[in-house]
Amino acid sequence: MMDGAWRAILRRYGEPVLVIPRAGGAGQGTRAFVQPVLDRGTEQREPSPLGLRREDRFLYLGPPDIPLEDGGQVAWRGGRYDIQAAHLVGEQHWWALLRPADREEGT
């Protein structure tokens, strides 16, 4: 029963995302929740040898039938996000921590 309710919630309120495997390829489209992880005590930009680096993090909650893997990516709202950690929670949904993908100039 909970699985059917979760799928209905994703269909109605989830946003379109594209899950791209670590090996690359076209990826699979689905609907999921993606939202920023807000840390009030930390800065969103960290110093690095090349200047300031983004430290934004996002929480992903998606359906169990589209697997996520560390090193893969999620495309959402015109951006790409690296999957830092991904776990299947029971058999109900995928939970993942995302960070904006580093982009080189011209890409």
Side-chain angles (χ1 to χ4, degrees), residues 11-80:
R11 267 193 312 275
R12 182 163 184 164
Y13 300 107
E15 294 186 69
V17 299
L18 182 67
V19 177
I20 304 161
R22 177 178 37 221
Q28 290 183 280
T30 190
R31 296 184 75 79
F33 293 110
V34 180
Q35 64 184 33
V37 175
L38 302 175
D39 290 331
R40 295 175 192 249
T42 61
E43 292 292 322
Q44 290 295 328
R45 297 189 182 270
E46 293 284 324
S48 76
L50 299 175
L52 291 177
R53 172 181 61 157
R54 288 180 64 180
E55 286 296 316
D56 304 335
R57 295 179 299 159
F58 294 83
L59 174 67
Y60 170 99
L61 298 173
D65 52 337
I66 308 288
L68 280 80
E69 58 184 346
D70 296 357
Q73 289 187 329
V74 172
W76 170 68
R77 289 190 179 179
R80 285 208 175 194

Side-chain angles (χ1 to χ4, degrees), residues 6 10 32-33 59-70 83 85-96:
W6 174 244
L10 281 176
F33 293 110
L59 174 67
Y60 170 99
L61 298 173
D65 52 337
I66 308 288
L68 280 80
E69 58 184 346
D70 296 357
I83 300 170
H87 305 281
L88 183 61
V89 178
E91 293 183 14
Q92 299 297 317
H93 67 275
W94 278 94
W95 173 98

